[in-house]
Amino acid sequence: MSDPPPKVGTAVPEGAELFQIRNERIARTAEAQLEADLGATHERSSALEGQVGSLSAIKNRGPGWGSAATG
């Protein structure tokens, strides 16, 4: 717990936060998962950029490239 709850019988306004629980182990687990997801997203982004570059290179070769009908 971050802060102790108010003493029994203490008047508190409606909607007031009575106490807060912190569990650092859970926070680290969530952070580790987010970092793993971010790393995977960076890898996928790099792969997609490579594919775009390859497709652009193929497109820029023009029609008929690699066909048997050259004369």
Side-chain angles (χ1 to χ4, degrees):
M1 279 201 234
S2 298
D3 296 317
K7 292 183 179 183
V8 174
T10 304
V12 294
E14 184 177 334
E17 187 175 279
L18 299 179
F19 63 93
Q20 182 180 43
I21 298 174
R22 280 192 191 193
N23 185 334
E24 294 299 326
R25 185 173 59 191
I26 291 173
R28 285 192 302 270
T29 301
E31 181 182 10
Q33 181 62 51
L34 289 171
E35 287 176 358
D37 291 347
L38 181 61
T41 300
H42 281 297
E43 288 179 20
R44 185 164 186 219
S45 176
S46 294
L48 290 171
E49 287 174 358
Q51 288 178 1
V52 167
S54 297
L55 291 172
S56 293
I58 291 169
K59 180 181 174 184
N60 291 334
R61 290 179 186 160
W65 183 86
S67 67
T70 56

